[in-house]
Amino acid sequence: MTATADLTSAADPGADHWPRPDGSPVDCREKVRVLRENHGELAQTLRDCFDDAVLMGVDPEAMRDLLHRMVSALRDPRSGGLDLK
C-alpha cells in the first residue's frame, strides 16, 4: 500500500466520521460526500507537498512539524478563520 493510499483509504476514521460540536455525526449524504472529497483532495495535496519538500532536501521531521503548525493555526471560520503567524 502506498503512502497516498494510507492517507485516503476508507480505513481512515477521518474519512467517515464527521462529528458536530455536540458530538453527533454529520449525516446529510451531500455534506458527507463533500467532506470525503475534501479529505481525499487534501490528503493528496499534503502527500505531494511533503514529497516535494523531502525530495528537495527538507528534513522530513521539519516538514511534518511545519504541516502540524499550519493545521494547529487553523481557526473556526465562524470566528475569524485562518490565523497563520
Side-chain angles (χ1 to χ4, degrees), residues 21-56:
D22 68 1
S24 66
V26 170
D27 55 5
C28 170
R29 286 183 182 174
E30 183 62 17
K31 289 179 181 179
V32 170
R33 183 191 64 78
V34 169
L35 291 166
R36 284 180 180 157
E37 283 180 13
N38 288 347
H39 182 274
E41 291 170 8
L42 181 58
Q44 184 61 53
T45 299
L46 281 171
R47 178 84 258 163
D48 292 345
C49 180
F50 181 81
D51 289 351
D52 287 350
V54 172
L55 292 171
M56 289 188 269

